[in-house]
Amino acid sequence: MRSRFSINNYSNLGQRAITALFGALIIVGGCIYSDYTYFLVFAGILGFSQMEFYKLSGLDGMLPLRSFGTFLGLMIFCLTFMVEKEHLSVKYFYFIFPIVSLTFFIKLYRKTDKKPFTGVAYTFLGLFYVAVPFSLLNLAVFSVDATYNYQIIIGCLLILWASDTGAYFAGTKFGKTKLFERVSPKKSWEGFLGGAFSAIGVAFILTRYFHVIDDWKWLVIAGIIIIAGTYGDLIESLFKRSIEIKDSGKGLPGHGGFMDRFDGLLLSAPFITAFLKIF
């Protein structure tokens, strides 16, 4: 009898490796091919991540506007991309304010909501926590000469993935000293240091091949990702712990959900974008 391939037949580590390989190929390939394929890849990641956030909020008894909130997030992402490509004027950012304000009108007519303003607050939180960081990536990738450059986004992702991978293996093998036990009992200082060394190592390699920005900036970005990425992971762990769940979803076998995989990027992206725009 012919056996069917199923990723569930593999161990957790095997599932992580397979998912990471296919995911990396899609993301890296999309970023390199063109700015529009980059746009489609990250619009998809944003949409799935924001839907996960609203779903988790619902598990905790909150009632955010799941579909409308995700639409708003994608609209902000699309708008920032088109403005950075100079297909739209900056003045079109003003559309954000009246459209986002429609959240109040929609909640006004929801008769089943006992605490409508809590739902409004969580709808807005999904925008600031998920949609805004992903939208800021558009500013980062267009930060050099106002043209799209895949080296920036791929470089940041390689550093982030190196940090996550190094932390995972170092923490699994050597982890003894708890990093933040109240929020995430499994995370250790040994894992943090393993991730830091891996991220810095990849940053040094990038200085040899990616010359779109100065060499020292890759090292600063690595520092941002090491610190902000770790806090992003802890913050998402705090969020999941508050509603007593292990993973944000099941969309990425071996990794959990999209928020589990990109939580470090959510907190790193604002700092990286600010750094590249200021310096």
Side-chain angles (χ1 to χ4, degrees), residues 80-207:
T80 54
F81 178 80
M82 297 303 286
V83 169
E84 288 299 308
K85 275 191 66 68
E86 299 182 347
H87 288 340
L88 292 177
S89 169
V90 177
K91 67 182 180 181
Y92 286 98
F93 275 131
Y94 289 109
F95 276 121
I96 293 175
F97 304 109
I99 295 176
V100 169
S101 297
L102 291 176
T103 304
F104 294 102
F105 292 87
I106 296 172
K107 275 294 183 181
L108 181 65
Y109 287 94
R110 288 285 182 91
K111 298 179 181 180
T112 58
D113 288 5
K114 296 181 179 180
K115 296 182 178 181
F117 270 82
T118 303
V120 170
Y122 271 81
T123 301
F124 289 164
L125 180 58
L127 295 178
F128 283 104
Y129 183 41
V130 181
V132 169
F134 277 116
S135 298
L136 288 174
L137 291 177
N138 292 328
L139 278 67
V141 298
F142 285 94
S143 61
V144 180
D145 299 327
T147 57
Y148 172 75
N149 197 299
Y150 70 84
Q151 290 187 5
I152 292 177
I153 183 62
I154 289 181
C156 291
L157 289 174
L158 289 176
I159 294 172
L160 178 66
W161 293 339
S163 177
D164 288 345
T165 304
Y168 175 80
F169 285 106
T172 301
K173 188 170 182 62
F174 305 108
K176 293 182 179 179
T177 311
K178 301 300 181 183
L179 177 66
F180 210 123
E181 188 172 10
R182 177 175 61 86
V183 174
S184 185
K186 292 185 178 180
K187 288 183 174 57
S188 65
W189 279 104
E190 291 82 1
F192 171 80
L193 292 175
F197 282 120
S198 299
I200 293 172
V202 169
F204 271 111
I205 294 173
L206 292 176
T207 63

Side-chain angles (χ1 to χ4, degrees), residues 34-53:
S34 75
D35 48 359
Y36 286 106
T37 51
Y38 149 81
F39 168 81
L40 291 174
V41 167
F42 276 90
I45 295 172
L46 186 159
F48 284 119
S49 299
Q50 200 162 354
M51 290 288 281
E52 280 184 359
F53 175 81

